Amino acid sequence: MELSSQQDGALQVVSVKSARIDAAVAIEFKDAMRQTTDSGSPTVILDLSHVEFIDSSGLGAIVASMKHMGQDRSLVLAGLTPTVDKVFRLTRMDSVFGVFPTLETALDAHAA
Amino acid sequence: MPMQLNGALMMQAQPKMSDVKISITTGEFAVREALENLLEALRPLGLDVEEAGTIELVLAEAMNNIVEHAYPPGDIPGQISVACSRKPDGLRFCIVDTGRPMPNGETPIGLPVDLDVDFTDLPEGGFGWFLIKDLAKDVVYRRVDDANELTFRLALAG
């Protein structure tokens, strides 16, 4: 599970470089997210544009990552591909996160 | 755990799609490989991204459940077989394993998760059966001798 992280002012952008967040890597993803987001940026944008597939375990791992960050910080999702978007929509978890079609729109929305 | 794929992928040369059957032994990346092989076998159908995504999602959830509950950690790895046939009303799937039976002899109802909860209580699981029942039609579970048999249908556009 490869994550890359970039600090953009007060924003942290975390990009998932793997094509899948599924049951096989859900725990690994959760651990990697925990380490990456421990720097404490108030807003973390999770760039999912390279992720083609997510299952319910992967969805649970993203929710767990948000909960680990705590209620005072926000985890925002960007660049959802069709199947990933479907999973968030059907489970209505898109109502729990800020969801943006692209990383650019997410960055614009959070520009200071 | 080493992954083993008994890639008995059977496709005959027919204009449409002939029946597909694959069998795997459970292991860390077995479900992933099974999905890859199944989608490859369904390629002649010319599925669009939406349809392929739905099929992959339902099959992933069904197989992940088997790995997690029918052959739980500590049990010896077991076989999962997936058969798919093209019918006028869509694709019919039959997934068989010889692991532990479903508690109470039936699948979970698969209700949507409750999101009207405190932040710390937001659900991290319980999405799987909801997704299966939301996306698939005619979902039937049966315990046949020492096997679990899950059948369902996925409608296709066109």
Side-chain angles (χ1 to χ4, degrees), chain A residues 20 22-25 53-56 59-60 63-64 66-67 70-71 82-83 86-87 90-93 95-96, chain B residues 28-29 32 35 49-50 53-54 56-57 60-61 64 112-113 115 119-124 127-128 130-131 134-135:
Chain A
R20 307 175 71 87
D22 60 14
V25 297
F53 182 78
I54 187 172
D55 62 15
S56 59
L59 173 62
V63 176
M66 175 184 70
K67 287 163 73 170
Q71 203 158 4
T83 305
K86 177 184 295 206
V87 171
L90 290 177
T91 57
R92 298 182 299 126
M93 293 307 283
S95 65
V96 170
Chain B
E28 198 181 358
F29 290 99
R32 219 183 243 204
L35 291 170
V49 172
E50 191 77 17
T54 298
E56 184 165 13
L57 187 54
E61 297 301 338
N64 286 341
V113 292
L115 297 182
F119 178 82
T120 49
D121 293 329
L122 283 170
E124 295 174 34
F127 310 107
F130 166 74
L131 288 169
D134 193 63
L135 293 167

Side-chain angles (χ1 to χ4, degrees), chain A residues 16 18-21 47-54 79-81 84:
Chain A
V16 183
S18 310
R20 307 175 71 87
I21 309 176
D47 174 15
L48 294 170
S49 57
H50 296 102
V51 179
E52 291 158 16
F53 182 78
I54 187 172
L80 279 65
T81 60
V84 176

Side-chain angles (χ1 to χ4, degrees), chain B residues 71-87:
Chain B
Y71 301 118
D75 283 17
I76 53 167
Q79 295 284 123
I80 303 175
S81 76
V82 183
C84 171
S85 55
R86 178 83 162 103
K87 300 287 185 214

